[in-house]
């Protein structure tokens, strides 16, 4: 894997991987929510503002559940691959430190957590509920941490002129991770100060906006790889 100004024989641009990994969960979520609203399984509203339903509830039943899992499970694998590639790319660009070294394992665990969440969505029982809950917590937490680690590494590489990016893209990852943390803090404050139904609506809105932040994060990675013309070399190593 490398960043090169031109295409090479046996090399593929890497940015479509990050783009698909980001957009596939968005398609899965919007499709499941739209179908659930049409079928009357959840209230009809704009969940980003009204918080009338959570992502889990919108994708829990019947056909929406089947379509959601069919798209989300491969998306989890793609996201894990993206984080492995991000770590390799940053190291090849000269990034160092424990933070960069943690990106790949954190990304793989986040992908596994998303698989667990998607696999048990729509099933009943205390164990299934526990697995969904902690799958969501691990996925959101580790993905947010990887956004921050990647953003910090990119900013460091820009400062030493190993990467060249517009300022908005240079700071995008850290800004997205910081926004997600602020959303979490706001959600915690509302939960402590207010009861239902406001507490539940705020939790739902936070979940939808958090998922959108992750979509934007993977799109930012795709934009970086596109600008840097990062390629994935395919071939057989000589013996």
């Amino acid at each position: 894997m490398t960043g090169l100004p031109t295409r090479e024989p046996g090399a593929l641009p890497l940015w479509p991987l990050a783009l698909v990994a980001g957009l596939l969960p968005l398609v899965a979520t919007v499709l499941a929510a739209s179908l659930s609203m049409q079928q009357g399984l959840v209230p009809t509203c704009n969940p980003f503002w009204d918080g009338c339903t959570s992502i889990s509830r919108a994708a829990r039943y019947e056909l929406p559940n089947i379509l959601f899992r069919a798209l989300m499970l491969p998306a989890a694998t793609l996201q894990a691959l993206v984080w492995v590639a991000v770590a390799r790319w940053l190291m090849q660009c000269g990034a160092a430190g424990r933070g960069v070294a943690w990106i790949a394992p954190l990304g793989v665990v986040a992908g596994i957590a998303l698989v667990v969440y998607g696999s048990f969505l729509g099933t009943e029982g205390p164990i299934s509920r526990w697995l969904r809950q902690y799958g969501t917590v691990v996925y959101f937490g580790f993905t947010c941490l990887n956004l921050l680690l990647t953003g910090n590494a990119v900013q460091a590489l820009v400062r030493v002129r190993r990467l060249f990016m517009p300022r908005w893209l240079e700071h995008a990852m850290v800004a997205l991770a910081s926004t997600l943390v602020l959303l979490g803090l706001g959600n915690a404050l509302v939960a402590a100060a207010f009861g239902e139904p406001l507490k539940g609506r705020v939790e739902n809105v936070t979940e939808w906006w958090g998922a959108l932040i992750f979509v934007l994060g993977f799109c930012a990675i795709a934009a970086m790889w596109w600008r840097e013309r990062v390629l994935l070399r395919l071939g057989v190593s000589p013996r």
Side-chain angles (χ1 to χ4, degrees):
M1 184 189 307
T2 185
L4 295 172
T6 57
R7 284 291 299 273
E8 289 184 347
L12 297 173
L14 201 55
W15 65 265
L17 174 64
L19 187 64
V20 174
L23 293 182
L24 199 56
L26 177 63
V27 172
T29 303
V30 171
L31 183 61
S34 299
L35 287 174
S36 292
M37 291 178 187
Q38 290 178 5
Q39 296 176 5
L41 299 174
V42 296
T44 300
C45 71
N46 183 340
F48 286 96
W49 305 112
D50 300 331
C52 63
T53 185
S54 65
I55 294 175
S56 298
R57 191 172 297 109
R60 187 172 296 172
Y61 306 106
E62 301 179 9
L63 179 60
N65 175 260
I66 296 173
L67 295 177
F68 182 83
R69 291 199 290 180
L71 295 175
M72 191 61 74
L73 296 181
T77 303
L78 294 180
Q79 290 190 5
L81 291 175
V82 167
W83 290 124
V84 172
V86 165
R88 180 69 179 274
W89 168 60
L90 292 173
M91 290 179 182
Q92 288 188 346
C93 289
R98 294 182 178 178
V100 175
W102 276 103
I103 290 175
L106 288 175
V108 171
V109 174
I112 294 172
L114 186 57
V115 168
V116 171
Y117 164 78
S119 299
F120 287 92
L121 185 62
T123 60
E124 300 298 334
I127 295 178
S128 296
R129 193 178 307 111
W130 184 88
L131 289 171
R132 288 197 305 270
Q133 178 181 351
Y134 282 93
T136 303
V137 170
V138 172
Y139 171 71
F140 269 73
F142 283 13
T143 304
C144 179
L145 186 56
N146 264 0
L147 289 177
L148 185 60
L149 293 173
T150 301
N152 286 334
V154 167
Q155 290 177 344
L157 290 170
V158 170
R159 283 196 297 270
V160 298
R161 303 183 67 80
R162 290 182 178 271
L163 290 177
F164 300 90
M165 297 182 184
R167 290 184 62 84
W168 69 267
L169 189 55
E170 173 191 350
H171 299 290
M173 308 290 282
V174 173
L176 290 171
S178 300
T179 302
L180 187 61
V181 171
L182 291 175
L183 283 174
L185 290 174
N187 182 41
L189 290 174
V190 170
F194 300 95
E196 299 293 351
L198 180 61
K199 176 178 174 290
R201 287 185 176 274
V202 171
E203 287 178 351
N204 293 340
V205 168
T206 301
E207 181 179 305
W208 283 91
W209 280 102
L212 180 59
I213 285 173
F214 289 160
V215 172
L216 295 176
F218 282 99
C219 289
I221 294 172
M224 292 178 187
W225 284 349
W226 176 77
R227 286 188 59 86
E228 292 294 312
R229 299 182 183 179
V230 180
L231 303 177
L232 176 65
R233 288 197 182 100
L234 302 177
V236 179
S237 300
R239 295 183 178 179

